[in-house]
Amino acid sequence: MKPDVIVIDTNPYKDDKPKIKVLPLVPETHPALKMKLKEFDFRNPPIDPDFLASSLVETCKSHDGLGLSANQCGYEYRVFVAGHGDNFVSFFNPKVVWQSEEQIKMEEGCLSFKHLFIPVKRPYSVEIEYQDFTGKPHQAKFSGLTARCILHELDHLNGILYTSKVKPMTLLVGMKKRNKVLSLEKKNASKLA
């Protein structure tokens, strides 16, 4: 004889929590890309922070990116994600507290500017304060490519595009290379159709 068992499901999100999805990227001319974004308010969240962070990660992964800011998907909050593979971190309301004097110039790309790679000079190391998707504060130091990615995404949150960090001639050369790649892509796509 089986005893009566009452099962209580205490998961408040069982039916309400939205499914994680890949978000559309806004076009490179979208005004949100040039806006300084407002802080994410954890006391009165405008959107579920876990859903936002997870969606940004899935979107970044689907485009083989290393980082993605909320405004690249049309959300006007100080949030970005950065990482690789299954190791992504969400950064809510990040602030630079220190950056190295040593700077490194490397080619950078951006998911908002398909195939545009230009050499940008940035600090080699950076230390930032931020909150995770639960609102818990953190402070961490990053170097190399991770620091570059974080600084690139932080620029997005301040409405600064990497295209503004180079001389006009450098940007022009990058745009010419980009246009060749886009033209070749278009030509190859028409052959397949």
Side-chain angles (χ1 to χ4, degrees):
M1 195 163 147
K2 283 181 149 181
D4 289 334
V5 177
I6 298 173
V7 177
I8 300 172
D9 186 355
T10 57
N11 181 355
Y13 298 115
K14 181 179 177 186
D15 297 320
D16 298 339
K17 190 158 186 163
K19 294 198 185 319
I20 303 308
K21 62 181 181 178
V22 173
L23 302 168
L25 297 175
V26 300
E28 63 188 59
T29 55
H30 196 281
L33 294 177
K34 292 192 176 181
M35 292 174 58
K36 184 169 183 174
L37 304 178
K38 58 187 171 191
E39 297 261 320
F40 189 91
D41 184 358
F42 281 97
R43 289 166 300 173
N44 187 23
I47 185 172
D48 176 6
D50 183 20
F51 170 75
L52 178 58
S54 298
S55 295
L56 289 173
V57 167
E58 289 308 308
T59 304
C60 191
K61 286 167 128 182
S62 76
H63 291 282
D64 295 322
L66 299 175
L68 183 68
S69 63
N71 57 339
Q72 289 179 275
C73 297
Y75 291 95
E76 297 175 6
Y77 309 113
R78 293 189 72 76
V79 180
F80 71 84
V81 296
H84 181 68
D86 290 328
N87 298 313
F88 272 80
V89 176
S90 60
F91 297 84
F92 285 73
N93 305 322
K95 293 179 182 83
V96 173
V97 294
W98 173 86
Q99 57 188 22
S100 66
E101 289 184 27
E102 179 188 3
Q103 297 207 349
I104 303 288
K105 186 184 272 191
M106 281 180 63
E107 222 172 50
E108 274 185 31
C110 180
L111 295 180
S112 294
F113 292 83
K114 187 177 180 183
H115 299 307
L116 179 58
F117 297 96
I118 50 178
V120 177
K121 191 181 233 185
R122 293 195 187 271
Y124 179 74
S125 299
V126 65
E127 188 170 349
I128 63 169
E129 292 176 344
Y130 66 97
Q131 293 169 279
D132 62 26
F133 70 92
T134 68
K136 181 181 176 186
H138 298 271
Q139 187 165 332
K141 187 176 179 182
F142 303 94
S143 297
L145 185 58
T146 305
R148 173 171 297 278
C149 182
I150 285 169
L151 290 168
H152 177 104
E153 299 308 329
L154 268 165
D155 276 352
H156 270 303
L157 303 185
N158 292 318
I160 300 167
L161 299 175
Y162 76 130
T163 54
S164 69
K165 295 195 165 279
V166 296
K167 294 179 180 175
M169 187 55 88
T170 302
L171 181 57
L172 183 63
V173 169
M175 293 296 284
K176 283 183 178 181
K177 287 180 183 177
R178 173 195 195 194
N179 290 340
K180 284 181 184 177
V181 172
L182 290 173
S183 177
L184 188 61
E185 242 182 28
K186 188 175 179 181
K187 186 178 177 182
N188 289 336
S190 66
K191 284 181 182 179
L192 296 175

